[in-house]
Amino acid sequence: MTLTNFNYAVGDYCDELIAPDGTPRPHAARLVSYFDAMEPRELVERQRAANSTIADMGISFTVYSEGDNIDRAWPLDIIPRAMAGSEWDRVEEGLVQRLKALNLFIDDLYNDRRIIRDKVVPADIIDSSNNYLEACRGFSPRHGVWANVCGSDLVRDRDGTVYVLEDNLRVPSGVAYMLENRTVIKRVFPSLFGNLNIRSVAEYPTQLSAMLESIAPPERADSAEIVVLTPGIYNSAYFEHSLLARTMGAELVEGGDLTVGDDDCVYMHTIDGLRRVDTVYRRIDDTFMDPEAFRPDSMLGVPGLLRAWRAGKVGIANAPGSGVADDKVVYTYVPDIIRYYLGEDAIIPNVPTWRCSDPAHLDHVLANIADLVVKPANESGGYGMLVGPHATRADHEQFRRRLAADPRNYIAQPTLSLSTAPTLCGDVLEPRHLDLRPFILQGEDVSVTAGGLTRVALRKGSLVVNSSQGGGSKDTWIIEDAD
Amino acid sequence: MLSRAAERVYWSGRYLERAENTARIVQQYSQLLLDLPPEVGVDWRELIRIFGVADSFAARGADDDETAILQFLLAERDGACSLAYSVQMARENIRNTRDLLPQEAWENINELYRFTRDSLALAAAGENRFEVLAECIGRCQQINGILLGTMSYLSPHHFLTLGQSIERADMTSRIIDVAAAYIQKNEQLVRRYGSTLWTNVLKSVSGFQMYRQYQQPQVDGLRVIEFLLFDPAFPRAIRACIDSALESSEALPRSADTAASLKSVQHVLDSSVVSGMDAAGISALMDDLQKRLAGAHRSVAATWFL
């Protein structure tokens, strides 16, 4: 047995650090023995030190409608989540494969539509997608890549299999917390880093910056001016926008700071006058990006930005319209998409999913709703979903009606038994469910973060890991296998 | 530096300075009323005049007694004239430029904001007024100390100083304007209480000791006005404020227009002679200065802001 000081008992799930027999998993052996030698009092003290570091560093996230106090301290559990380097290498390959295929898919959709003609993906799925933008038709951004930044959510089921739960291709967030979690944990457990070979995550801002340079207009590549476009301080991810801009040495701009000239170039207003912008890393949604092309009521965007992009005068990451592949119905086709474009089998499997648009699938979902997780096709942040086993009969009934009324907009998946890891609860360690969001960058090249952001459901038994709904986080360690 | 960021930093400087000066003026005015007999004719409505907010106050149609006036100048959150509003705006601007300003400034403005939110309405009603205002002044000074003591001498620093200097010069001109009105109002009483009055004016800008070092020991009305207008060494004298604003603006790109309008203020100061002037003359001079300061602000905005 291990972690006896903390009364740790593995539950009926796959635990990331501890095997079912109570011994540490090989890759986590040194990590676990380090905590094993620790008194609960000391661990609680370290957690307190971590919390005050987080407060001092101002690591926060923003919650809507909290009145004056809009910043909350970022919740970080100090026990790291660890994976073996050899396992991660395979996951990384799978993530690269997936993003390459998805970008080929998006480029095809907005151009030749071969995949629809070949009847691999039905046309109506695309035509009825809220995220398909007609304004992007007949254009191909640099390198043919649309989704330059992808955050795919990974989960591990009871049998140890890692699945992709969803791909976030619009404006995925969380990477700043991955970076900050590592900084905090290094301060809290400096000696552990000396003893273990943990893959670094610190290159991310450099990689992001290189990717953004690679999508600037070719003639501007030498001295590309990059900006991060934020909706402003009230956005829940503002902390991240600001951190990424700062660490890349890029300007953090709002829509009003940018203007598109008669020459279709994008400029920002500075105290020196107008300065040309070559790549916009936009952190605002597609349709708010350009009131001239999309929502005329958007105060956040830049009139003419789409025009500038189509004229090849500016790179935009992610490209407008890339969200078409970030749709939970399209998700169900990803293994087919990979096979179609790359001629390969998907390395990381999808979670088995029922499409409610398919009448046979819908019948199955309606009959088994109490055992399933039902998700709307287009929401993010864990909103608007039903976790069957945790919901009331009235909830089931309400969702049955919604599904019958708008089947295209829903998918259903079995309730996964998400893996757990020891998490400090009071002064004991208890298993808590978690997922993992790695970040994949594709421009001229592709890169993947070593690990990513581990999100953990802090409430006992809960599967909801979103920070806006009581989730916390952990530092994620990819540990090189011992020779 | 982005134009928007420059604008916000500039306004952080202005609102912080305005908050501090509002607290100072109300503080000293409250003190003055305790020191002078009622027949000198000092009343609370003069405060409304000092701040140049007579119209917005009248538009409210409320009473013009002490509590209503102080409520308006200190606590009212919707009106653009109050100390609470200045603090709130300083906070909004600092919040939006956190990447450029020291973290401690953000923490301290938050504390000031929470403090003013809870205490200013009570201070307006007379409770702990001196303590509350003294704490506001102290906290503003603390934030200024953090900003000026830790920011590199680069563009954000220059915009902060520019906003602060222009606001401070404007406030000092208002204090002079109102004080000058007493010279003529009641000569006999002023002769008797003049020293109290002018000492008070100096204290409202923390200038009493500096004045003593600059001038002979007795506190004389015109000398005080000269000191507050022309002294290049006292940081709250208009001359020193303009010199500082000019220095900051010249450290920025494309500064010709702003420098020219600030130099026109300097020119007015250089060519004015206060001795022998009556209250109307002083008042006209202050109006002229205030208009030129507004002109300097306009050229700052036109050159560097969105």
Side-chain angles (χ1 to χ4, degrees):
Chain A
M1 286 303 284
T2 189
L3 296 175
T4 43
N5 284 344
F6 301 93
N7 299 315
Y8 190 70
V10 179
D12 184 24
Y13 304 95
C14 180
D15 193 276
E16 297 286 338
L17 303 187
I18 312 289
D21 65 0
T23 59
R25 294 190 185 276
H27 70 273
R30 288 171 115 168
L31 171 63
V32 171
S33 71
Y34 177 85
F35 290 114
D36 227 3
M38 206 177 257
E39 290 295 321
R41 203 164 26 85
E42 191 184 349
L43 196 58
V44 170
E45 195 38 59
R46 302 267 180 121
Q47 178 72 56
R48 206 171 289 146
N51 293 349
S52 71
T53 304
I54 286 170
D56 292 345
M57 289 170 66
I59 308 171
S60 60
F61 70 107
T62 309
V63 180
Y64 298 108
S65 68
E66 282 218 334
D68 289 327
N69 185 19
I70 63 167
D71 295 327
R72 276 203 208 160
W74 174 249
L76 166 63
D77 177 80
I78 57 171
I79 312 292
R81 178 257 186 92
M83 272 174 93
S86 51
E87 183 184 24
W88 181 254
D89 289 339
R90 189 70 182 146
V91 170
E92 185 175 316
E93 251 181 90
L95 292 168
V96 170
Q97 176 199 50
R98 208 171 163 96
L99 185 59
K100 280 184 170 169
L102 284 168
N103 274 313
L104 290 166
F105 171 64
I106 303 170
D107 204 44
D108 187 20
L109 284 184
Y110 285 113
N111 291 284
D112 302 339
R113 295 202 158 191
R114 286 188 297 122
I115 197 165
I116 291 175
R117 270 204 320 265
D118 292 340
K119 301 200 177 344
V120 177
V121 173
D124 64 308
I125 295 295
I126 305 308
D127 295 334
S128 61
S129 166
N130 293 335
N131 298 316
Y132 175 77
L133 297 179
E134 188 56 37
C136 301
R137 193 106 168 93
F139 181 74
S140 184
R142 281 205 76 189
H143 317 296
V145 175
W146 294 68
N148 305 100
V149 183
C150 170
S152 292
D153 290 343
L154 303 179
V155 293
R156 192 195 296 278
D157 199 11
R158 185 177 276 130
D159 67 359
T161 311
V162 171
Y163 295 97
V164 176
L165 188 62
E166 62 184 50
D167 304 289
N168 295 285
L169 302 176
R170 284 175 275 184
V171 282
S173 62
V175 76
Y177 301 111
M178 172 194 82
L179 297 169
E180 296 292 67
N181 283 355
R182 177 61 54 87
T183 309
V184 173
I185 293 300
K186 270 185 179 166
R187 286 197 200 176
V188 178
F189 300 121
S191 61
L192 258 176
F193 281 83
N195 292 330
L196 288 168
N197 195 348
I198 301 163
R199 288 190 195 170
S200 165
V201 294
E203 305 75 22
Y204 184 80
T206 316
Q207 290 169 338
L208 177 61
S209 171
M211 182 280 285
L212 293 168
E213 272 173 36
S214 83
I215 65 164
E219 69 278 11
R220 307 273 303 171
D222 288 344
S223 53
E225 180 83 39
I226 296 165
V227 299
V228 178
L229 175 61
T230 174
I233 56 167
Y234 297 102
N235 185 271
S236 59
Y238 181 79
F239 173 83
E240 176 160 307
H241 306 163
S242 146
L243 180 130
L244 291 176
R246 203 164 58 233
T247 50
M248 288 194 294
E251 288 287 0
L252 180 63
V253 303
E254 294 174 22
D257 295 318
L258 300 181
T259 186
V260 177
D262 295 335
D263 55 1
D264 285 346
C265 294
V266 180
Y267 296 92
M268 63 178 155
H269 294 276
T270 77
I271 59 170
D272 299 293
L274 291 176
R275 193 152 92 222
R276 170 103 186 252
V277 169
D278 303 303
T279 304
V280 178
Y281 179 29
R282 52 105 178 184
R283 296 295 300 255
I284 64 181
D285 287 341
D286 275 349
T287 53
F288 286 94
M289 200 158 35
D290 180 355
E292 188 182 291
F294 307 112
R295 302 177 59 129
D297 60 330
S298 170
M299 305 292 287
L300 304 174
V302 185
L305 189 56
L306 196 84
R307 175 160 46 88
W309 175 68
R310 290 200 64 133
K313 298 293 178 67
V314 71
I316 300 179
N318 288 348
S322 58
V324 66
D326 178 352
D327 173 302
K328 292 185 177 66
V329 179
V330 171
Y331 161 87
T332 63
Y333 290 95
V334 172
D336 306 317
I337 290 170
I338 293 173
R339 206 169 299 115
Y340 181 79
Y341 293 107
L342 303 177
E344 300 167 5
D345 287 329
I347 296 170
I348 316 172
N350 265 15
V351 177
T353 305
W354 288 277
R355 298 171 194 132
C356 298
S357 54
D358 179 325
H361 287 203
L362 180 62
D363 288 345
H364 175 88
V365 173
L366 291 176
N368 296 283
I369 203 161
D371 301 322
L372 298 173
V373 178
V374 182
K375 297 176 179 173
N378 279 311
E379 292 287 332
S380 59
Y383 293 101
M385 60 184 257
L386 173 87
V387 181
H390 295 179
T392 63
R393 275 161 177 260
D395 292 334
H396 297 155
E397 207 36 58
Q398 194 195 4
F399 263 79
R400 282 200 186 94
R401 282 197 299 273
R402 282 196 210 169
L403 297 191
D406 186 12
R408 156 70 179 90
N409 229 347
Y410 290 92
I411 55 126
Q413 294 167 336
T415 314
L416 294 176
S417 303
L418 298 193
S419 62
T420 61
T423 302
L424 187 62
C425 304
D427 61 357
V428 297
L429 292 175
E430 291 184 13
R432 288 290 182 270
H433 296 293
L434 39 76
D435 74 355
L436 176 60
R437 177 177 289 184
F439 296 87
I440 309 103
L441 299 175
Q442 184 177 3
E444 194 171 7
D445 304 309
V446 189
S447 61
V448 182
T449 53
L453 176 65
T454 290
R455 301 184 300 173
V456 51
L458 295 174
R459 258 175 300 136
K460 193 174 193 140
S462 170
L463 297 171
V464 181
V465 296
N466 306 78
S467 55
S468 54
Q469 299 184 50
S473 69
K474 283 172 170 290
D475 191 18
T476 309
W477 290 6
I478 305 303
I479 303 176
E480 299 297 357
D481 301 40
D483 293 324
Chain B
M1 184 181 189
L2 288 173
S3 299
R4 176 180 47 85
E7 185 168 1
R8 286 173 178 168
V9 171
Y10 171 88
W11 279 110
S12 302
R14 281 203 80 149
Y15 278 116
L16 262 180
E17 188 65 26
R18 192 175 296 176
E20 182 182 337
N21 280 310
T22 305
R24 282 173 176 283
I25 291 171
V26 173
Q27 179 82 308
Q28 291 308 316
Y29 209 81
S30 304
Q31 194 71 56
L32 182 66
L33 286 173
L34 296 180
D35 289 343
L36 294 180
E39 59 269 29
V40 180
V42 178
D43 81 38
W44 289 104
R45 281 168 297 193
E46 285 296 341
L47 267 181
I48 295 289
R49 216 169 77 75
I50 296 185
F51 289 104
V53 292
D55 291 347
S56 16
F57 184 68
R60 288 173 83 249
D63 295 342
D64 56 3
D65 59 9
E66 174 181 344
T67 308
I69 287 170
L70 289 182
Q71 173 70 25
F72 180 74
L73 291 176
L74 296 181
E76 197 163 279
R77 272 205 247 164
D78 305 329
C81 308
S82 70
L83 172 54
Y85 179 81
S86 293
V87 170
Q88 188 189 326
M89 292 307 288
R91 176 174 181 260
E92 277 305 295
N93 281 290
I94 290 175
R95 191 219 288 276
N96 273 292
T97 44
R98 277 164 74 178
D99 295 338
L100 300 175
L101 303 178
Q103 167 74 18
E104 296 86 346
W106 166 240
E107 287 163 13
N108 279 272
I109 188 72
N110 262 326
E111 282 173 27
L112 173 59
Y113 173 73
R114 282 197 294 269
F115 175 73
T116 53
R117 197 180 47 185
D118 299 338
S119 62
L120 283 177
L122 290 174
E127 222 163 297
N128 302 325
R129 186 180 302 157
F130 288 95
E131 289 83 349
V132 169
L133 292 175
E135 180 149 1
C136 285
I137 295 166
R139 285 178 181 273
C140 286
Q141 288 178 317
Q142 193 180 351
I143 297 167
N144 273 328
I146 292 166
L147 292 171
L148 300 180
T150 60
M151 283 175 75
S152 297
Y153 298 127
L154 298 170
S155 303
H157 180 275
H158 301 317
F159 280 106
L160 188 79
T161 310
L162 201 50
Q164 202 176 40
S165 307
I166 290 177
E167 182 68 28
R168 189 179 282 178
D170 181 79
M171 277 291 188
T172 300
S173 77
R174 292 176 191 283
I175 293 168
I176 295 173
D177 193 6
V178 170
Y182 287 105
I183 296 174
Q184 283 188 318
K185 210 163 192 178
N186 188 326
E187 256 179 72
Q188 201 194 342
L189 279 171
V190 165
R191 205 166 296 132
R192 195 160 145 213
Y193 295 106
S195 150
T196 307
L197 177 81
W198 292 108
T199 300
N200 214 280
V201 167
L202 285 170
K203 283 184 171 170
S204 74
V205 293
S206 293
F208 185 59
Q209 284 138 299
M210 296 303 126
Y211 174 83
R212 281 281 167 89
Q213 289 170 32
Y214 158 88
Q215 286 283 351
Q216 50 281 81
Q218 68 271 33
V219 178
D220 168 83
L222 284 176
R223 286 283 162 79
V224 169
I225 291 176
E226 280 172 1
F227 173 66
L228 292 179
L229 273 173
F230 304 136
D231 189 21
F234 178 58
R236 291 178 178 274
I238 294 178
R239 176 71 204 210
C241 293
I242 300 304
D243 291 353
S244 149
L246 185 60
E247 193 188 339
S248 299
S249 70
E250 285 181 330
L252 292 165
R254 306 186 296 143
S255 61
D257 287 355
T258 304
S261 61
L262 288 167
K263 280 177 183 158
S264 89
V265 186
Q266 280 182 336
H267 180 73
V268 170
L269 292 172
D270 288 342
S271 55
S272 299
V273 180
V274 171
S275 82
M277 246 186 207
D278 59 4
I282 288 171
S283 194
L285 176 59
M286 295 308 123
D287 279 353
D288 185 31
L289 285 173
Q290 284 162 21
K291 282 191 189 113
R292 284 170 194 276
L293 286 167
H297 166 76
R298 277 195 303 276
S299 67
V300 168
T303 307
W304 290 301
F305 300 164
L306 273 182

